[in-house]
Amino acid sequence: MGDVTVAEAATELGVSQRHITRLAQSGELEVVRKVGGALLIDSASVHRWAQMRRRQGRPWSEPVAWGALALLSGHTADWLTASQRTRLKHRLRRSTAEDVAFFARRRAVPLHARAWDATDHRIGHRIVNTGVGALDTMDAATAARFGLTTHGTTRTEGYVTITELDAVIDDLGLTEDREGDLTLRVVSEDNPLFQGTPDAPTPPLAAIAVDLMDSLDTREHSAGTKVLQELIDDLR
């Protein structure tokens, strides 16, 4: 995959270089590496952002984003009021998978890291697996909907609350590394779906689908899009 400078990304998206830097820091653009303090951005993530920004409206807050993903997954989302749930369902029925991915993008803050000493077993006991890694934690029929295999996967991705983050980093010996093999998706301490992390075996199915849509791997992105669209169609 190619990479572009901050200046080139800013030109392509028609925004300031400072805005590109903010998008990179928030994880909404994928940083490939740093060269002499300068960021190099993955060109595919710039292209994907260019497509998303054509949509009108602000991203959902974290509670609303998780409410949408919960409703699509068949959960109640009882942290939202009845009227909020009704309005959200109406909006979801009019949405595409790409719309939901766009509006739910602030569901968590990604942190890329390298696990130098930790085994997959130890990591799995400290996070709630998502993405490809979550397929092994769900029943075979549900996992088969994605049409993906975990064989040969070296990346690990999972959710952790902000209050648990420092302990997880210390326990697993993690170092922040944008080219690392571990992505932590950090949610707020009061996120209703991740209380008691990591006792919950998997996030809502729609969240796994949206996380796969974030992948720069074409097969993973397509699989996430397919399943999320199916969940939206089921709600209609």
Side-chain angles (χ1 to χ4, degrees), residues 17-83:
Q17 294 185 38
R18 180 176 296 180
H19 188 61
I20 293 296
T21 300
R22 286 199 299 267
L23 291 174
Q25 291 172 340
S26 68
E28 295 186 61
L29 291 179
E30 184 78 15
V31 175
V32 178
R33 60 185 181 276
K34 288 184 179 180
V35 177
L39 301 179
L40 290 178
I41 312 291
D42 183 86
S43 59
S45 71
V46 174
H47 176 68
R48 189 168 298 161
W49 178 256
Q51 293 178 315
M52 288 197 306
R53 71 191 294 263
R54 298 192 187 106
R55 292 175 171 79
Q56 295 183 346
R58 293 185 177 184
W60 292 319
S61 65
E62 183 180 337
V64 174
W66 283 104
L69 298 175
L71 291 171
L72 287 171
S73 305
H75 302 306
T76 58
D78 55 7
W79 57 92
L80 301 178
T81 66
S83 61

Side-chain angles (χ1 to χ4, degrees), residues 139-205:
D139 65 86
T142 303
R145 295 181 65 172
F146 291 95
L148 298 171
T149 177
T150 59
H151 179 70
T153 299
T154 59
R155 292 177 293 105
T156 303
E157 184 176 355
Y159 285 94
V160 63
T161 61
I162 186 64
T163 51
E164 292 289 324
L165 180 60
D166 287 343
V168 169
I169 290 174
D170 291 342
D171 183 47
L172 299 179
L174 305 181
T175 57
E176 188 170 357
D177 184 344
R178 291 191 176 276
E179 297 182 51
D181 51 5
L182 173 63
T183 299
L184 296 177
R185 293 185 178 272
V186 186
V187 297
S188 63
E189 61 182 321
D190 56 354
N191 186 300
L193 291 174
F194 295 97
Q195 298 303 306
T197 306
D199 292 335
T202 57
L205 187 61

